[in-house]
Structures are given as C-alpha cells and as structure tokens.
Amino acid sequence: MEKKKWYSSIPHPVVMLFGILVLITLLSHFIPAGAYDRIEVDGRQMVEPGSYHQIDPTPLSFLDMFRAIPGGFSSAILIIFVVLSSGIMFGVLEKTGMIENAVGTFVKKMGFERRMLLVVIMTYLFGALGVFVGYENNIAMIPIAAIASLALGGDLMLAAGIAVGGVTVGFGLSPVNPYTVGTGHTLAEMPMFSGWLLRSVLCFVALSALAYVNVSYFRKILKNPEKSLSIGLETKGFQLSKPLDTYGMTAKDWLMLIIFVGGLVVMLYGVFTHGWYLTEISAMFIIISIVAALAARMSGTEIGETVLSSVAVVAPGAFMVGLATSIKVAMEMGNISDTIAFNLAETLRDLPTYASAVSMSLAQCGINFLIPSGSGQALATLPIMIPLGDVLGLTRQTTILAFQIGDGVTNLFNPTLGGLIAMLAMCRISFDRWLRFIMPIVGVILIVSWLFLLFSVSIDWGPF
C-alpha cells in the first residue's frame, strides 16, 4: 500500500479557514477571557506591561460564530478592495497588450537560455520590493511574475514562489521594516533601524534559499511536467500569445508602461511622504485603470466588460481575505487573544538564555496566527516581551529580532494573513497547493533564522 503523503490531508482552503473559526469558537468556552490595559502612544494603542487581568467570560455562541464572518469582511474591506482594484488595473493593462509585450520583450532580450538566472534575479527583485516598498503595496505586481514564469516555461506555482515568496520573505525579514523593526525600536527606545547589517545578511540568506528552491522546482517541472503543483489551473490572460522572437514594444505599449509606472511612482510617493495606505492605493489603481483605458481608446463597452471579467477572476481571492479575517474578529469577540499572549510570555520566564530566545521566537510564531498585523502584534506583545527579555538577559535588539523572525517567517503560511491570501489569488494559487510548495523552505528559513538569533545572543548584539 502506497504511503499517504502529508499534504493529501490538507483540506480545501475554505474548509480549513472555517474549521479554524469553529476551533476558536470552542476555545472561547475554555480559555478565560482576559485583557491588557491599553495606552495611547502617538495615536496608536499599546499594551501596558503588567496590566493583564481576567474579565467576564465572553464565549462565542453558535450565532456569534457566523456573525464573525460578515464581521471579517467588514474589517477587511480595504484589503478586499485592493484585490479587486488591482485585478481591474491588471485586466485593463492586459487588455491593451502592454504587459504581454513588455514581458515577452524582456525575456527575448535577456535570452531564453538564461531562464534559470532570470528566476534567481526575479526572486531577488520581488524580495527587494518587499524590503523597501512594503507588503500589500505590491499586490498589483504579482501577475507580472505569472506572465514571466509562463513565458520562461514555468507554471503559476513558480510565479508564486518568485513573487509571493520573494515579497513575503523580503518584507518579513527586512532590516528597514517600519511596522515590525521600526515599531519595535520605538517601543524599546533604540536607534531606528540599528542592527541593520545582521538583519540584511539574514534577509539575503533567506532570499537565496528561496531562489534555490524556485530554481530546483523549475528544473523538476521541466524534466517531469506531471510534478507541477499547478496542473488544472486556468492560465488565460497570463500566457504569451505568439512566438517569443516576434515580441517588441510599440509606441502604445510605451505609453501604457509610462502610465503604469508613473501611477506607481505617485502611489509610492504618497505612501512614504503623505502616509497613504490601502484606501489611497486602491484609488490609484482605479485611476491608472481609467487613464490607461482612455489612452488605449477602449470603448465604454470594452471598459465595462473588462472590469467585470477582471473582478470575476480575483473575486475568489477577495472572498478568502474576508473569510480569513473572520478568525481575527472571532478572537476579539471571545477576548482570548491577550490571555494566550500572556500565558505564552509566562512560560518563558524560567528558561535558559539561549532557549528563551528561540522560545520567544516560537511564541511570536503562534501569536502571529492570532494577530497577523505586524505593527498590531508589535504593539500587543513587545511591551511584554522587551521587559521579559531584560530579565532573561537578552539584549533588546535580540528580543526584537526574535519577534521579527516569529512574525516574518510564519507570514509565508499564515492563513489569517489577508495580504498573503490576496497575493496567492493574483497567481490563482489556492492555499492548500501553496502549503505543499512552501512548507519545506519555511523549515529551512526558520532554522537559519534561529542560528542568526543564537549568534545575536552570543555576541550580546546591541547597542543594548
């Protein structure tokens, strides 16, 4: 009898998320409700250390479990609309032919025989986008990797490994991540983005490991196409429609590219200068879509049909974002998140220094599934973990690195992270297929990260 593969038991993503929601509902009847007091710092709510206390039980009823679902969609509406608006923008640009021509020309110029090198380069490029641009800000860039991957002879899973994996690793381990490292340094009263060299090396090593896995997977499916994890997925709109040597950029393509890049430049300027976030990002995607459609002289009927067909493509991903967020809403309704965080912190108190550093990272891994927001998790846990690290003999820099590893690496397989689900949707990759691809490399990156963490303990990594 053939041995059953571990991934054959992975349920459908909708079933998986609903199962987690049921589990949270049951746990709310057994885990005491509790809360930390919050204080406002620079307009944001931060946990007050030592203020945890139990409150009146708030177990979720059968109806509450289902109320959490529309509550999740309401809470995630901004991310949901980013998915829809970026899908519309990509649909319009794809309709003009610009993206296909640009990718086809790029691959032709670089040379098809260098496709393994192109996979490595693209992995680092998307990693750099994660490091310097952010996370949800990159959702609209994901389909470009899908077209490039198929043009090189790969599949949609390779595209996800390049783009979704690259952005997630780059963002999660970024030495200049404002949400995790920046917030952590602010709370610890440390120089902003200090310790960037060690974090940069860790990020580069993790991206290198991901690039190796991407190339290995590419070689495997080229040799044995039946081993592809994307068999049966729809590739319409992502495939090149003519021979590679016939591609070139027309004046119209250059105009579309200028509109697209110009819009992204304006968006990034607003993000970094004026504090724009998801609402403004979505608005820019819509503006780019309208300007591109008008410049391409699309008729009103063409625009309308393109918008609706584009929404239809990304709608399943948008649904998954809302369903994933319902888990966070259920946790808040049951008031058990703070109780779990408090008890995880308490288990670290009697551990040796080296073990406490890795265990602190593991604790953050678990908490990340409850609080998938990097800055939200930092504000909820670091006011507890930083003083605890001081007691355990860990430098504050090491405590923040433990937090960053726990938050950043588990983002690769966190079903409650809306941005991850949204990006996978842009590649048309379901979460269960993604787990089959990404889990082995997650283990490697975690081990490498913990070795860096232990090294930071051994050198009393500072400045303090």
Side-chain angles (χ1 to χ4, degrees):
M1 184 177 178
E2 186 179 354
K3 188 177 180 180
K4 196 174 183 181
K5 301 287 187 180
W6 67 270
Y7 51 74
S8 62
S9 301
I10 299 176
H12 188 280
V14 172
V15 177
M16 180 192 302
L17 291 175
F18 185 73
I20 295 174
L21 181 60
V22 172
L23 176 62
I24 295 301
T25 301
L26 294 175
L27 288 177
S28 70
H29 289 263
F30 298 98
I31 297 178
Y36 284 98
D37 293 333
R38 260 74 174 178
I39 54 177
E40 187 170 308
V41 178
D42 296 328
R44 297 185 295 178
Q45 295 294 313
M46 184 182 77
V47 162
E48 185 173 358
S51 64
Y52 174 80
H53 57 281
Q54 291 192 7
I55 60 176
D56 293 336
T58 52
L60 273 66
S61 67
F62 181 76
L63 179 60
D64 288 335
M65 180 174 69
F66 287 95
R67 286 178 56 224
I69 297 176
F73 279 79
S74 177
S75 179
I77 189 62
L78 295 180
I79 297 180
I80 290 172
F81 198 77
V82 164
V83 175
L84 297 177
S85 59
S86 60
I88 292 169
M89 180 181 69
F90 176 77
V92 170
L93 293 173
E94 186 269 331
K95 182 75 173 178
T96 69
M98 181 275 288
I99 294 180
E100 179 183 345
N101 288 335
V103 172
T105 303
F106 172 73
V107 174
K108 184 178 76 170
K109 295 289 186 183
M110 290 294 295
F112 191 73
E113 66 279 1
R114 298 178 180 174
R115 51 186 176 175
M116 297 301 167
L117 176 61
L118 287 174
V119 168
V120 174
I121 292 173
M122 287 193 296
T123 302
Y124 284 123
L125 283 176
F126 277 95
L129 289 174
V131 170
F132 298 108
V133 176
Y135 201 60
E136 287 88 355
N137 304 351
N138 287 304
I139 288 176
M141 304 296 291
I142 304 302
I144 296 175
I147 296 178
S149 175
L150 295 180
L152 294 171
D155 62 5
L156 293 179
M157 185 59 77
L158 177 62
I162 292 169
V164 182
V167 169
T168 304
V169 170
F171 177 77
L173 298 178
S174 169
V176 291
N177 188 319
Y179 306 103
T180 54
V181 180
T183 302
H185 282 160
T186 300
L187 296 176
E189 299 179 332
M190 297 183 66
M192 186 62 66
F193 303 134
S194 56
W196 62 269
L197 180 58
L198 183 64
R199 286 190 176 87
S200 297
V201 175
L202 171 58
C203 187
F204 178 78
V205 170
L207 285 172
S208 299
L210 177 64
Y212 175 81
V213 168
N214 286 337
V215 169
S216 298
Y217 174 77
F218 193 14
R219 292 186 189 277
K220 181 174 71 174
I221 62 174
L222 287 175
K223 184 177 181 180
N224 299 295
E226 68 277 4
K227 292 187 177 181
S228 168
L229 296 176
S230 302
I231 293 175
L233 296 182
E234 177 60 62
T235 59
K236 182 180 178 181
F238 288 154
Q239 290 182 312
L240 299 185
S241 60
K242 54 188 180 183
L244 194 61
D245 58 5
T246 62
Y247 278 95
M249 294 285 284
T250 66
K252 176 186 173 184
D253 293 329
W254 282 111
L255 176 60
M256 295 299 107
L257 184 60
I258 290 170
I259 291 171
F260 175 59
V261 174
L264 293 183
V265 169
V266 172
M267 181 197 79
L268 293 175
Y269 175 79
V271 168
F272 292 115
T273 306
H274 299 293
W276 287 5
Y277 195 43
L278 297 178
T279 299
E280 293 79 10
I281 290 172
S282 295
M284 282 305 306
F285 290 165
I286 296 299
I287 291 171
I288 293 171
S289 303
I290 294 172
V291 173
L294 294 176
R297 298 183 179 180
M298 294 172 60
S299 67
T301 300
E302 283 183 302
I303 294 173
E305 290 177 348
T306 300
V307 168
L308 292 182
S309 62
S310 301
V311 168
V313 170
V314 298
F319 174 84
M320 292 299 294
V321 171
L323 185 59
T325 310
S326 67
I327 296 170
K328 172 178 173 289
V329 171
M331 296 284 295
E332 294 171 349
M333 292 170 65
N335 289 298
I336 60 176
S337 298
D338 284 357
T339 300
I340 295 173
F342 170 76
N343 284 283
L344 284 174
E346 287 298 300
T347 60
L348 303 176
R349 290 190 179 276
D350 298 322
L351 293 176
T353 305
Y354 285 93
S356 66
V358 175
S359 298
M360 186 177 289
S361 177
L362 280 169
Q364 294 291 356
C365 288
I367 293 171
N368 193 36
F369 290 91
L370 312 177
I371 312 173
S373 163
S375 59
Q377 188 182 160
L379 291 167
T381 63
L382 283 181
I384 306 165
M385 294 296 186
I386 289 172
L388 179 60
D390 293 343
V391 172
L392 295 171
L394 300 175
T395 65
R396 295 190 170 191
Q397 196 75 270
T398 297
T399 297
I400 294 170
L401 179 62
F403 158 73
Q404 184 182 17
I405 292 170
D407 169 76
V409 179
T410 50
N411 282 344
L412 284 166
F413 64 100
N414 188 351
T416 67
L417 182 61
L420 173 65
I421 302 301
M423 290 187 190
L424 291 175
M426 299 303 286
C427 282
R428 303 174 190 172
I429 295 292
S430 61
F431 190 72
D432 55 329
R433 294 190 190 226
W434 174 247
L435 287 180
R436 291 175 60 182
F437 174 83
I438 203 64
M439 287 310 292
I441 187 59
V442 167
V444 172
I445 294 177
L446 274 176
I447 291 172
V448 170
S449 299
W450 288 333
L451 289 175
F452 272 77
L453 185 62
L454 294 175
F455 174 73
S456 74
V457 175
S458 70
I459 64 172
D460 286 329
W461 188 38
F464 51 83

